[in-house]
Amino acid sequence: PDYRRFSIVRQIGKLLFNYIFLSVIMLACLYPVWYVMVASFSDSNLLTQHMGLLLKPPGLSFDAYKKVFQNPMIMKGYMNTLFILIFTPRPPRPDDLNIASSEV
């Protein structure tokens, strides 16, 4: 028997299995993100009637985003987030404190 040929076929089989397995895992992780994004651009009435996988928005609509940005508390929340991001000092790092690792 040609063991070298068997070894190459076995390596190719493992490689194919790994690519297929990891592709399935990737799709399982990314589909919920895709679903939420597509659903946010969908017409709510058509979305509730939709069955199966959601690959494209049933009835493109920006109503959900219009409603969100009409709420003044949303914009206030974004402003608070930006304020905290810009004006909150970062915690000191060990390098900033001039502490040598041998002193610890």
Side-chain angles (χ1 to χ4, degrees), residues 19-93:
Y19 274 108
I20 292 170
F21 180 72
L22 291 175
S23 295
V24 169
I25 296 294
M26 179 188 70
L27 288 173
C29 291
L30 290 180
Y31 180 72
V33 176
W34 177 258
Y35 183 92
V36 170
M37 187 178 73
V38 170
S40 73
F41 288 107
S42 299
D43 180 88
S44 60
N45 293 327
L46 294 175
L47 181 64
T48 56
Q49 297 171 5
H50 182 76
M51 301 287 282
L53 290 176
L54 187 63
L55 300 177
K56 64 183 181 107
L60 185 63
S61 173
F62 296 97
D63 291 340
Y65 289 98
K66 289 177 188 173
K67 284 187 178 186
V68 164
F69 287 111
Q70 286 174 352
N71 184 344
M73 296 302 290
I74 297 294
M75 290 311 292
K76 186 175 182 178
Y78 278 127
M79 291 299 127
N80 286 343
T81 300
L82 286 174
F83 180 83
I84 290 170
L85 178 71
I86 294 169
F87 295 109
T88 300
R90 66 174 175 80
R93 295 184 210 157

Side-chain angles (χ1 to χ4, degrees), residues 2-14:
D2 188 6
Y3 292 109
R4 202 172 100 165
R5 183 173 172 266
F6 179 72
S7 177
I8 292 171
V9 170
R10 191 172 183 187
Q11 288 176 347
I12 291 172
K14 283 182 179 180

